[in-house]
Amino acid sequence: MSSYRCRKCKNGILIAAVQGHNETELTETYECDACGHVAVIPSRMIICSQMVTSFIGGLITAYLFIEQLSIFVTVVQFNIERNLTQNIVLLVVSLLFLAGFGYTLYSGMQGLAKRKFYLKAPQRDKRIRAS
């Protein structure tokens, strides 16, 4: 049984829906047993993979960026005859990779927040109060 609660009606529990043949396996689809609200929540495996990959890739890319930046600064500072175009292109490419890894990390954090959002959903009091 799922421990996710419905955010719409706050009474129901989200149950794993049957996965269609065209649905990707990157997410888990849940349906509320009370109101029928459908929620698509990323799986733990995908979130973990996104975060670990982006962290490791970001560290490696940051190292390469710093190396190219130090070469570029040295060439400019000491006016050494060297191909600056190659260094600038490598700096731009490494910045693009850093942005991509940053976005992947952000996406993993969003997925983690969504999972926690449904886990910590408040539950409505089922007792009817007399007026």
Side-chain angles (χ1 to χ4, degrees):
M1 187 95 192
S2 172
S3 59
Y4 297 122
R5 293 190 183 140
C6 181
R7 295 296 290 189
K8 189 175 180 184
C9 69
K10 297 185 180 32
N11 284 333
I13 302 288
L14 295 175
I15 307 169
V18 177
Q19 195 170 25
H21 69 284
N22 60 353
E23 188 176 345
T24 61
E25 296 179 9
L26 304 178
T27 57
E28 297 170 349
T29 305
Y30 292 94
E31 187 174 353
C32 178
D33 62 352
C35 69
H37 173 68
V38 176
V40 179
I41 303 171
S43 67
R44 264 186 253 148
M45 177 82 157
I46 293 302
I47 292 170
C48 207
S49 171
Q50 285 176 330
M51 293 175 80
V52 168
T53 301
S54 62
F55 184 72
I56 293 171
L59 285 178
I60 292 170
T61 307
Y63 171 75
L64 294 174
F65 174 76
I66 292 170
E67 284 290 318
Q68 284 302 314
L69 188 62
S70 72
I71 291 171
F72 178 74
V73 169
T74 305
V75 166
V76 170
Q77 185 178 10
F78 296 116
N79 200 15
I80 300 172
E81 292 295 324
R82 194 158 182 198
N83 189 0
L84 285 178
T85 308
Q86 179 183 8
N87 284 18
I88 292 171
V89 167
L90 288 173
L91 283 172
V92 170
V93 168
S94 63
L95 281 176
L96 289 173
F97 271 92
L98 279 173
F101 286 125
Y103 176 75
T104 305
L105 182 64
Y106 173 73
S107 178
M109 296 298 277
Q110 269 189 321
L112 187 64
K114 190 172 188 178
R115 287 183 74 84
K116 287 183 180 182
F117 179 73
Y118 278 100
L119 280 173
K120 295 182 178 184
Q123 192 168 14
R124 251 188 218 154
D125 193 9
K126 294 184 181 181
R127 292 177 277 153
I128 300 173
R129 296 180 184 167
S131 44

